[in-house]
Amino acid sequence: MQIRGIAHRGYPVKYPENTLSSFQAAIDLGFTHMELDVHLSKDGIPVVMHDDKIDRMTNGVGEIRDYTLQELKKFNVQEGEQIPTLQEALELAKDRIIVSIELKKTQLYKGIEEKVFQVVEELDMVDQVYIISFHYAALKKLRKLSNELELGPVVNRVKRSHFRQLKRINAEYFAVRFDGIKDKHIEWCQNNDVQLVAWKVNEQDEMHFIKQNPSILATTDELEKYKAVIL
């Protein structure tokens, strides 16, 4: 049975976040969605990692943008894995799980929007992904690239201006930090055919709130705990 929810960076409680093993675990548990984060290597390849530096997750140091893909692949992530490319992650996910791609630090990477969209398009996965970002300008660029690609802003707190932004880019998703969500936001999204996404939902009381408000799509690190509450 599928679990309606977003596996945040895969299953980071049990596997190294944003790795192929972490994504595979989310797929195996039956989640409908998984989330990953993207940066660009020095040679312009979209790679999957949350931070813009490799220090926390690998045996190396420095910024992702200062290494070519070949150089990045020489570093080990925890438990001996490599930093995956976006292409590798999407190939694993194709026809198995919907992928939420978050563009990180877009101001650091010239052309990241075009390069990420190119990977998605070449794999024929436009209908199996959606792209989110804190950076509204990046979403505007993506909308110019494609009318079919599903998009959504990420915010900590909802402002009135966000609803205008959602309309301008014809957003299908709106990712809001869990404690920033109010009843009026839920109602607005329902009335405007926008999928409200809550992040992160890791506590049982939060999970029960999601169960009582099934229109919300929740992002979680605690996949098995979430599964036990939702089913």
Side-chain angles (χ1 to χ4, degrees), residues 65-229:
R65 62 178 175 163
D66 290 335
Y67 292 100
T68 66
L69 177 61
Q70 186 177 12
E71 290 167 340
L72 288 171
K73 286 293 188 179
K74 293 178 181 177
F75 297 112
N76 289 325
V77 182
Q78 300 161 24
E79 301 179 16
E81 290 193 72
Q82 294 178 321
I83 301 168
T85 63
L86 176 61
Q87 180 172 336
E88 289 168 337
L90 291 183
E91 286 174 342
L92 177 69
K94 188 172 183 178
D95 298 325
R96 304 169 79 189
I97 191 169
I98 296 168
V99 182
S100 169
I101 301 171
E102 182 173 352
L103 299 191
K104 309 293 287 190
K105 297 286 185 78
T106 57
Q107 70 276 14
L108 298 179
Y109 310 110
K110 185 177 180 180
I112 187 171
E113 300 87 1
E114 291 87 353
K115 293 179 187 301
V116 167
F117 178 61
Q118 183 179 4
V119 173
V120 172
E121 198 171 35
E122 287 178 354
L123 290 172
D124 193 24
M125 290 183 68
V126 171
D127 61 344
Q128 294 176 52
V129 310
Y130 64 95
I131 299 180
I132 60 174
S133 183
F134 278 100
H135 306 282
Y136 179 65
L139 298 175
K140 286 202 299 183
K141 288 180 184 178
L142 285 162
R143 180 53 75 221
K144 289 180 181 178
L145 291 172
S146 171
N147 288 322
E148 288 74 40
L149 189 63
E150 296 190 333
L151 305 174
V154 187
V155 304
N156 289 295
R157 288 283 183 271
V158 179
K159 300 176 182 178
R160 287 184 181 179
S161 59
H162 292 143
F163 298 111
R164 292 193 294 272
Q165 291 177 351
L166 289 164
K167 292 285 191 180
R168 285 193 200 109
I169 61 169
N170 192 26
E172 293 84 3
Y173 290 82
F174 188 28
V176 182
R177 199 170 74 183
F178 178 81
D179 61 6
I181 293 174
K182 298 180 180 179
D183 288 343
K184 62 183 179 181
H185 306 146
I186 300 172
E187 183 178 356
W188 188 94
C189 288
Q190 288 175 332
N191 291 337
N192 289 273
D193 294 323
V194 172
Q195 176 60 67
L196 181 60
V197 175
W199 58 274
K200 295 182 295 183
V201 177
N202 286 337
E203 303 302 325
Q204 285 212 338
D205 59 333
E206 298 169 346
M207 295 175 186
H208 284 291
F209 178 84
I210 297 299
K211 189 171 185 178
Q212 293 164 6
N213 293 274
S215 69
I216 302 174
L217 185 59
T219 306
T220 185
D221 298 319
E222 297 280 358
L223 273 62
E224 288 172 278
K225 184 193 295 186
Y226 185 84
K227 180 177 180 177
V229 170

Side-chain angles (χ1 to χ4, degrees), residues 36-70:
L36 54 80
D37 307 285
V38 173
H39 299 265
L40 286 187
S41 65
K42 187 177 181 179
D43 47 345
I45 308 300
V47 296
V48 179
M49 184 168 282
H50 177 269
D51 304 349
D52 57 306
K53 296 182 178 180
I54 62 174
D55 304 40
R56 180 172 65 89
M57 290 302 298
T58 78
N59 60 341
V61 294
E63 294 190 33
I64 291 171
R65 62 178 175 163
D66 290 335
Y67 292 100
T68 66
L69 177 61
Q70 186 177 12

